[in-house]
Amino acid sequence: MTDSRIPTVRLGDGGPEVGVQGLGCMGMSFAYGPSDAQESRATLERALELGVTLYDTADAYGQGENERFLSPFFKAHRDDVVIATKFALAIPPDDPTRRIIRNDPPYIRQAVEASLERLDVDVIDLYYMHRRDVNVPIEETVAVMAELVREGKVKHLGLSEVTGAELRAAQAVHPIAAVQSEWSLFSRDIEAGVVPTARELGVALVPYSPLGRGFLTGSFTSAEKDLTADDFRRQMPRFTGDNATANASLLEPIRKVAASHGATLGQIALAWAQQQSTVHNLPVIPIPGTRKPTRVEENTAATRIVLSEEDMTLLDPIAAKVAGNRYADMTFTSAGRE
């Protein structure tokens, strides 16, 4: 394993320069079962050493705990990191176990102030609308986000899980640096509308869950057998019952390609995601999540793997065979509205 730093790319037209792979930080304090705080801090430091500069969080991750956890690291390396966080998933006062989507102007202003306080920074580098409330015109939401830029509270704007048409409407109000959506060998629905629109408008794509929430690493085969009771993947259609069994069988082409490159399954999945930049001619910055320094080393090494045309042809059919949707309720995704 070398210590070569990963190359950089611009995060959309006019956006900041970042490493070609970012780090999803959600699992350090939310959703994927127990975590070790000391190991997570070491992971953050190791990622930075390897050239990872885009760190992704959200106010919804652990009800703000993820932002608080990351704050000391961000403060220690403020000039070297690009902080990305999100708003929109609110907790209704009558039921703290639920989430509702809010894109209304008063809520956005409340959310940004809360995130700035938890992160303990003066400005957020990249501020995403986490999910789309179809009852609020996206132009209205982005107009408020644009005000935050003018006020110096936010530097760049991003959107998550929007359709191509929604991205176009948002871009007409204010430049959008990045669109974040699930994109992997298991999830390719955004290639129909979102990706070509982003390419046309000069917007970067930031794939979350590029490892299929871990499924593409081959590390488990069934949520019921292999995941802890508090792991939210137990609620996701692809990870349970017959779907999990069927999807585990889809890893064979990845194993074949991995063997030919002397790589892990996860590295091939990430190399495929990184290579979409060339395939679709736009910046692509995957944000695999991990809590282990050794995994960051493995993940960043994938940026040096170049898949052949034969490799890509072998991997291409996988997504069409996946059993189960990526969420139980797809109405909150771009695919559910395209």
Side-chain angles (χ1 to χ4, degrees):
M1 181 72 66
T2 70
D3 275 1
S4 300
R5 288 174 63 86
I6 62 176
T8 62
V9 65
R10 188 161 297 283
L11 194 70
D13 291 350
E17 196 84 7
V18 297
V20 295
Q21 186 180 111
L23 181 64
C25 302
M26 178 180 77
M28 294 180 178
S29 50
F30 176 70
Y32 288 122
S35 63
D36 182 304
Q38 184 174 350
E39 189 169 44
S40 291
R41 292 188 186 99
T43 301
L44 295 167
E45 296 286 350
R46 186 65 178 131
L48 187 59
E49 290 172 355
L50 293 169
V52 174
T53 55
L54 177 64
Y55 293 81
D56 186 87
T57 182
D59 60 2
Y61 300 161
Q63 299 182 31
E65 283 306 311
N66 198 238
E67 290 179 327
R68 292 189 187 96
F69 174 79
L70 294 170
S71 176
F73 170 74
F74 290 155
K75 287 187 62 116
H77 303 286
R78 188 65 189 96
D79 294 338
D80 302 314
V81 299
V82 173
I83 301 171
T85 192
K86 315 177 194 73
F87 73 89
L89 296 180
I91 301 172
D94 59 334
D95 186 357
T97 65
R98 290 179 54 234
R99 294 289 185 275
I100 57 174
I101 299 176
R102 291 189 60 180
N103 291 174
D104 55 286
Y107 181 76
I108 296 171
R109 290 199 161 276
Q110 172 189 330
V112 74
E113 295 297 341
S115 284
L116 286 166
E117 182 177 354
R118 285 188 294 263
L119 292 164
D120 196 15
V121 296
D122 296 326
V123 61
I124 294 165
D125 300 312
L126 177 60
Y127 200 42
Y128 285 102
M129 180 190 76
H130 202 162
R131 290 293 185 271
R132 168 98 165 94
D133 180 356
V134 296
N135 298 309
V136 179
I138 196 165
E139 294 88 348
E140 182 178 326
T141 299
V142 177
V144 178
M145 296 171 71
E147 290 174 7
L148 302 180
V149 175
R150 290 191 289 272
E151 293 165 10
K153 296 175 181 178
V154 170
K155 289 184 180 179
H156 305 282
L157 302 184
L159 304 170
S160 180
E161 290 288 358
V162 293
T163 67
E166 289 164 352
L167 172 58
R168 192 178 301 279
Q171 180 81 358
V173 177
H174 188 277
I176 303 298
V179 167
Q180 185 173 135
S181 192
E182 187 167 356
W183 196 11
S184 73
L185 282 168
F186 266 19
S187 300
R188 298 180 58 180
D189 49 77
I190 68 168
E191 292 174 28
V194 181
V195 171
T197 304
R199 179 178 62 241
E200 176 192 339
L201 299 176
V203 178
L205 252 296
V206 178
Y208 72 80
S209 300
L211 294 171
R213 303 185 188 278
F215 211 122
L216 290 165
T217 67
S219 59
F220 64 88
T221 57
S222 167
E224 295 93 339
K225 291 189 298 184
D226 302 327
L227 302 178
T228 58
D230 55 350
D231 193 309
F232 88 135
R233 288 172 291 184
R234 280 175 166 264
Q235 314 302 320
M236 308 190 87
R238 292 179 175 176
F239 292 83
T240 56
D242 292 342
N243 285 350
T245 302
N247 292 334
S249 70
L250 300 178
L251 302 182
E252 289 311 310
I254 309 174
R255 288 193 175 91
K256 182 176 180 180
V257 175
S260 70
H261 285 270
T264 65
L265 274 70
Q267 285 177 322
I268 296 305
L270 284 175
W272 180 90
Q274 301 279 175
Q275 211 152 315
Q276 298 312 299
S277 177
T278 302
V279 173
H280 294 281
N281 191 30
L282 81 170
V284 176
I285 304 94
I287 50 169
T290 186
R291 301 174 288 196
K292 297 180 182 298
T294 53
R295 290 296 187 201
V296 167
E297 293 168 356
E298 177 183 328
N299 292 347
T300 54
T303 65
R304 298 187 287 276
I305 297 173
V306 178
L307 301 177
S308 68
E309 185 175 338
E310 181 181 356
D311 293 333
M312 297 294 275
T313 299
L314 195 61
L315 299 171
D316 188 65
I318 293 174
K321 300 175 183 178
V322 172
N325 286 326
R326 48 193 180 97
Y327 289 98
D329 184 353
M330 288 291 286
T331 61
F332 302 119
T333 70
S334 60
R337 300 191 304 276
E338 283 284 10

